[in-house]
């Protein structure tokens, strides 16, 4: 046993893995909780014009809500692995439609507060599984739109996001899969896709772990 694996073994003894939703020992996201995930059914809601398609894996509800919360706010970064695998499975039939994977970037201020970008952690797993390059540097968030949730309606949210992202580098790949954890109104993903399209990307598709059901 090497030094690193001994350290890992010790860490496992001191901080054993627990399911992020039900706290069962020995796993980060247990099979029982994963079996409760509900596939998101495509609905007729309008997409931002800069996105040709948006793929959403699951309905945003318990237990996925708790698991995403753990990833995002409690900095349990390793949960990105099982969640990223679920995303990779979701997009597997279309993986050849993309030249690269990118994540919705965080503003540098938010990144330093949070320690890591949860969307990028998910995107990295998807990129690794499908052997696609992961774009990190050139796609940047130029405005801190932290108050997004407070914007009352879709129009205001879209206005708040305008020019929030920029592409800074050589020409981006032609076909990009843009990953986020939760898809809400599409204002954020749409604005990010706008920046990619403005830089020359021909096709941007979105991939998100979860979305709330449309209101009846
Ligand atoms: Zn569980």
């Amino acid at each position: 046993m090497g030094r690193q694996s001994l350290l890992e073994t010790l860490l496992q003894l001191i901080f054993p893995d627990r399911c992020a939703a039900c706290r069962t020992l020995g796993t980060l996201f247990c099979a029982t909780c994963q079996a409760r995930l509900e596939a998101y059914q495509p609905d007729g809601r309008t997409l931002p014009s800069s996105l040709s398609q948006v793929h959403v894996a699951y309905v945003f509800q318990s237990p996925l809500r708790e698991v995403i919360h753990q990833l995002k706010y409690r900095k349990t970064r390793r949960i990105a692995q099982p969640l990223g695998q679920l995303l990779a499975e979701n997009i597997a039939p279309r993986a050849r439609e993309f030249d690269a994977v990118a994540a919705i970037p965080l503003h540098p201020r938010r990144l330093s507060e949070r320690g890591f970008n949860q969307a990028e952690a998910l995107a990295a797993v998807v990129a690794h599984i499908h052997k696609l390059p992961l774009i990190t540097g050139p796609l940047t968030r130029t405005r801190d739109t932290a108050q997004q949730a407070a914007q009352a309606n879709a129009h205001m949210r879209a206005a708040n996001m305008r020019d929030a992202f920029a592409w800074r580098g050589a020409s981006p790949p032609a076909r990009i899969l843009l990953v986020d954890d939760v898809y809400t109104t599409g204002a954020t993903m749409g604005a990010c896709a706008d920046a990619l399209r403005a830089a020359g990307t021909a096709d941007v598709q979105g991939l998100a772990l979860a979305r709330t059901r449309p209101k009846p």
Side-chain angles (χ1 to χ4, degrees):
M1 188 184 281
R3 191 179 295 167
Q4 187 59 45
S5 58
L6 177 61
L7 177 62
E8 283 172 4
T9 306
L10 286 170
L11 285 171
Q12 277 293 319
L13 287 169
I14 303 164
F15 305 107
D17 284 344
R18 283 179 179 275
C19 174
C22 72
R23 313 306 293 157
T24 291
L25 274 168
T27 170
L28 290 166
F29 191 14
C30 79
T32 307
C33 288
Q34 288 202 25
R36 289 174 57 205
L37 295 176
E38 183 180 338
Y40 190 90
Q41 301 302 327
D43 62 81
R45 286 188 278 185
T46 315
L47 292 179
S49 58
S50 50
L51 288 157
S52 63
Q53 295 195 61
V54 175
H55 313 279
V56 179
Y58 301 106
V59 176
F60 187 61
Q61 62 187 10
S62 186
L64 189 55
R65 186 190 292 120
E66 291 81 359
V67 178
I68 291 174
H69 192 273
Q70 286 264 339
L71 171 68
K72 204 164 177 171
Y73 299 109
R74 309 213 39 203
K75 302 176 181 178
T76 317
R77 188 177 190 154
R78 286 184 305 134
I79 296 171
Q81 186 63 40
L83 294 178
Q85 278 171 9
L86 292 170
L87 273 179
E89 283 167 27
N90 182 274
I91 204 71
R94 332 186 60 120
R96 288 172 186 279
E97 293 177 20
F98 310 106
D99 304 309
V101 180
I104 304 285
L106 285 178
H107 188 272
R109 192 182 309 136
R110 302 274 281 169
L111 185 61
S112 65
E113 279 170 15
R114 203 175 276 174
F116 76 106
N117 177 352
Q118 78 285 351
E120 191 178 303
L122 296 172
V125 178
V126 174
H128 179 77
I129 288 174
H130 292 304
K131 298 183 171 63
L132 288 164
L134 175 71
I135 296 170
T136 51
L139 183 61
T140 55
R141 196 159 191 145
T142 53
R143 284 201 296 118
D144 189 1
T145 48
Q147 300 309 306
Q148 176 72 350
Q151 300 296 322
N153 60 47
H155 181 75
M156 287 169 72
R157 289 171 74 117
N160 185 46
M161 290 310 298
R162 202 162 293 143
D163 304 321
F165 300 94
W167 176 270
R168 290 170 173 156
S171 295
R175 305 171 306 166
I176 292 179
L177 179 66
L178 192 53
V179 175
D180 205 357
D181 50 351
V182 180
Y183 185 93
T184 30
T185 63
T188 305
M189 201 176 262
C192 196
D194 278 341
L196 292 170
R197 296 289 301 270
T201 297
D203 183 63
V204 185
Q205 296 187 32
L207 175 64
L209 201 50
R211 188 179 190 187
T212 50
R213 276 201 199 83
K215 291 192 185 80

